[in-house]
Amino acid sequence: MVHLPVAYMDMWKALHEQYKDDITTAFDNNYNRKHEAAKVIQVYKEKLYGAAEIVYSTKNLIEIYNEVLALYHVTYGYAAKTQEVHECGFAWKVGGEALMRLYT
C-alpha cells in the first residue's frame, strides 16, 4: 500500500460518511432519483478536484492523486467490511478519471 497522509484518509472517511447520507436522501426522491444522485456525485467531484472535472482543476496533481487514493482505500475498505461490492462505486463515480490517469 502506498503511504497516504492520515489527513487525507480522515478527510475522505468523513466525506464518505456524509456521501452515504446524501445519496440515501437522493434515492429517497422517487421522482428524480437519477438526477438527484448525479448532483450528489458532482458535489463530491468538486470536493476532490476543486472543480467540476479534473481538467478544470487548479489543484496540484500530487494532491489530487493522494486524495483519490485515500478515497479509493476508504471506499474499498468499507466495501470489504460490508461485503457489498456495489459500495466501490463511490470511488469510481467521483474519482474515476483521476484513478485512470494515475494507473495508466
Side-chain angles (χ1 to χ4, degrees):
M1 183 168 135
V2 175
H3 173 72
L4 296 171
V6 174
Y8 291 131
M9 292 294 290
D10 291 345
M11 178 179 70
W12 280 100
K13 196 174 288 185
L15 288 170
H16 185 246
E17 288 299 318
Q18 182 61 50
Y19 163 79
K20 290 186 295 183
D21 291 340
D22 293 346
I23 203 70
T24 297
T25 300
F27 284 147
D28 286 346
N29 180 348
N30 291 323
Y31 178 70
N32 249 343
R33 292 174 76 155
K34 197 172 190 176
H35 178 72
E36 293 300 316
K39 285 178 17 184
V40 169
I41 294 299
Q42 193 57 48
V43 165
Y44 289 89
K45 279 185 173 185
E46 290 176 11
K47 289 180 185 297
L48 174 61
Y49 301 130
E53 300 290 338
I54 195 171
V55 295
Y56 303 118
S57 181
T58 58
K59 285 174 85 171
N60 178 300
L61 273 179
I62 299 301
E63 182 179 357
I64 290 172
Y65 290 157
N66 280 330
E67 283 195 47
V68 80
L69 286 173
L71 162 63
Y72 177 91
H73 284 285
V74 166
T75 302
Y76 274 68
Y78 181 76
K81 184 175 117 178
T82 61
Q83 297 186 351
E84 297 286 345
V85 72
H86 72 271
E87 296 293 347
C88 298
F90 178 62
W92 291 100
K93 289 173 187 167
V94 172
E97 190 174 355
L99 288 167
M100 291 301 292
R101 285 179 179 217
L102 184 61
Y103 289 114
T104 57

